[in-house]
Amino acid sequence: MMAKERIAICPGSFDPVTIGHLDIINRAAAMFDRVIVTVMTNTSKLCSFTAEERVGMLRKCIQGAENIEVDSYDGLLAEYAAKKGACAIIKGLRAMSDFEYEFQMALTNKKLNPEVETLFLTTSAQNMYLSSSMVKQIASMGGDISDFVPAEIHRDIINRIYIKK
C-alpha cells in the first residue's frame, strides 16, 4: 500500500517575501512531500503588491524547487487546507508576540478543520527582527534591503516602494 502524500500549506501575505519567509518555506519543504505556499488575503493589511504580484515574486524565488508550489486564496485557511488535502499548516514564529496571535489562529483552524495540524517553526536567529513591514519601511527611505530579500525580487521591491526624495 502506497503512503499518502504529506502536504503542508505555508500561508502568509508575503508583502513582500523576505529571506525569513524563504527559510521557513525551505525548511518545511524538507519535512513534507509537497508544500503549497499560499498568498492569503488579509483584510486587516493594506498591501503594497497585488496577490498576483506576490505569487509572481514567490515563484521567482522558488524556481527549481521540485516540491514547492505557489497559489493564492481568498477565503478561510482551514477550508483551503481541506480542499488541498493538506495535513499541516506551517507558521513561522519570530518572537513571543507572534505566538499569541498564531496560537489563536491554530486553535480556530483546528476547530474548523480537525484533520489539519498547525506546526510552528521558529525563525533562524539571523532573521528574528525581519518582517515585510520592516523591509518596506527601509526601502521607502532608500535604505539597502539586499540582505533582507531574495536577489530575484530586490529590484521589484525597490521599484514599487522607494519614494524618490
Side-chain angles (χ1 to χ4, degrees):
M1 188 163 136
M2 194 167 174
K4 183 179 174 188
E5 184 181 37
R6 293 171 307 131
I7 302 168
I9 307 292
C10 196
S13 53
F14 304 107
D15 186 51
V17 64
T18 69
I19 59 168
H21 290 129
L22 289 182
D23 176 53
I24 297 293
I25 292 165
N26 287 319
R27 287 165 51 204
M31 293 187 278
F32 290 89
D33 300 318
R34 187 160 52 114
V35 172
I36 306 170
V37 181
T38 310
V39 173
M40 301 292 294
T41 300
N42 184 338
T43 55
S44 66
K45 285 188 179 180
L46 182 62
C47 290
S48 298
F49 297 91
T50 67
E52 294 77 20
E53 289 170 326
R54 289 178 276 153
V55 165
M57 287 191 290
L58 278 159
R59 286 187 176 141
K60 281 184 193 179
C61 295
I62 61 145
Q63 286 179 7
E66 293 184 17
N67 68 330
I68 304 172
E69 62 185 75
V70 181
D71 196 8
S72 64
Y73 191 70
D74 183 15
L76 293 172
L77 178 56
E79 178 183 275
Y80 179 77
K83 285 181 183 180
K84 293 295 184 175
C87 63
I89 296 168
I90 305 295
K91 297 298 292 189
L93 294 178
R94 290 178 300 226
M96 284 305 294
S97 55
D98 288 345
F99 181 76
E100 188 173 345
Y101 173 77
E102 295 297 350
F103 186 67
Q104 182 181 15
M105 292 303 300
L107 292 173
T108 303
N109 285 325
K110 188 68 171 171
K111 181 72 174 169
L112 295 173
N113 180 352
E115 301 300 312
V116 71
E117 296 290 342
T118 298
L119 301 177
F120 298 112
L121 295 180
T122 56
T123 187
S124 300
Q126 66 266 28
N127 298 325
M128 282 188 69
Y129 61 89
L130 187 56
S131 69
S132 295
S133 299
M134 184 71 65
V135 166
K136 289 189 285 190
Q137 184 176 4
I138 294 167
S140 73
M141 297 179 187
D144 182 10
I145 59 167
S146 59
D147 287 340
F148 309 133
V149 299
E152 297 90 343
I153 63 168
H154 180 268
R155 182 60 33 209
D156 298 329
I157 297 167
I158 295 299
N159 288 343
R160 173 64 51 87
I161 306 292
Y162 180 57
I163 302 166
K164 295 182 179 32
K165 307 235 187 272

